[in-house]
Amino acid sequence: MIKTLTIIYFAFWLVLLGVGLYAQKAFLLSSQLGFFCAIIIACVSFYNYKKRVLKKLTQKDNVKTSDDEKIDKISDEQKDAKTLLNEEKARLKAQKTKLKDMGLGTAFVPYRLFAYAILVAGFILLKRNDLLDILGLFLGLSIMPFGALLAGFLNKESK
């Protein structure tokens, strides 16, 4: 899948580069800024989500054994459904929602924030030098999700 994505993004980059060289300098610079910032943001996001999933998998293995023990204990006691429901409600009320549990920890990853800062700084730099082409910037940014969608379809067809 990663090989397919790399080939698709490289092909899109070559097309974008060709169109940018044929068009004007502002389109070329804006599209390249958008393209490379989108790729950096996607790579950083992928890496962080991968770490998060692996961490949750290791935690889930530990929790699963304790949950199995609770289920065995409950089935041994043969409690009625009303008592079990009340106990579960009390347990859920006792749990507090932490910032880490809400998934906001992945939104404020330093590398991703750095990539967004590069995008904003590039946008400001291009705007101040009158080299900003909004169409080129949006085209460069949109290639990343479109490439992922295309790779998903190609990968689905090959299976």
Side-chain angles (χ1 to χ4, degrees), residues 1 6 15 19 23 29 38-39 41 48 51-52 63 71 78 80 84 95 98 114 125 136 144 157-159:
M1 180 72 171
T6 305
V15 169
V19 170
L29 292 174
I39 295 296
I41 291 167
N48 287 320
K51 280 181 22 181
R52 184 175 175 203
V63 171
I71 291 171
Q78 295 293 323
D80 64 338
L84 288 174
Q95 287 181 343
K98 297 179 183 175
F114 181 69
L125 182 69
M144 195 278 305
E157 289 175 1
S158 65
K159 287 185 179 180

Side-chain angles (χ1 to χ4, degrees), residues 2-16:
I2 292 178
K3 183 179 178 181
T4 306
L5 267 175
T6 305
I7 292 170
I8 289 171
Y9 288 149
F10 185 71
F12 280 150
W13 178 70
L14 287 176
V15 169
L16 193 63

Side-chain angles (χ1 to χ4, degrees), residues 56-147:
K56 283 198 179 231
L57 283 175
T58 57
Q59 289 175 353
K60 198 172 198 178
D61 289 340
N62 295 337
V63 171
K64 191 174 184 179
T65 57
S66 65
D67 285 345
D68 290 341
E69 292 170 2
K70 288 179 186 177
I71 291 171
D72 290 340
K73 184 179 178 183
I74 290 172
S75 63
D76 289 343
E77 295 174 3
Q78 295 293 323
K79 295 182 180 180
D80 64 338
K82 203 172 213 180
T83 308
L84 288 174
L85 183 64
N86 290 336
E87 287 177 1
E88 185 66 20
K89 283 182 182 179
R91 186 184 67 80
L92 290 174
K93 284 182 183 178
Q95 287 181 343
K96 293 182 180 179
T97 305
K98 297 179 183 175
L99 189 62
K100 289 190 301 186
D101 296 336
M102 292 173 58
L104 296 177
T106 57
F108 301 108
V109 178
Y111 295 124
R112 187 187 298 167
L113 292 176
F114 181 69
Y116 281 117
I118 291 172
L119 179 63
V120 170
F123 180 88
I124 292 170
L125 182 69
L126 289 174
K127 179 66 178 159
R128 285 191 179 167
N129 292 319
D130 292 327
L131 293 172
L132 180 66
D133 186 355
I134 296 295
L135 178 64
L137 183 68
F138 285 144
L139 188 62
L141 287 171
S142 66
I143 284 179
M144 195 278 305
F146 183 69

Side-chain angles (χ1 to χ4, degrees), residues 14-68:
L14 287 176
V15 169
L16 193 63
L17 188 64
V19 170
L21 290 174
Y22 180 73
Q24 48 184 294
K25 185 178 179 181
F27 180 87
L28 176 68
L29 292 174
S30 297
S31 64
Q32 295 301 305
L33 173 73
F35 177 77
F36 284 111
C37 285
I39 295 296
I40 291 169
I41 291 167
C43 289
V44 169
S45 298
F46 173 76
Y47 175 72
N48 287 320
Y49 283 124
K50 180 181 174 184
K51 280 181 22 181
R52 184 175 175 203
V53 166
L54 291 175
K55 183 179 177 183
K56 283 198 179 231
L57 283 175
T58 57
Q59 289 175 353
K60 198 172 198 178
D61 289 340
N62 295 337
V63 171
K64 191 174 184 179
T65 57
S66 65
D67 285 345
D68 290 341

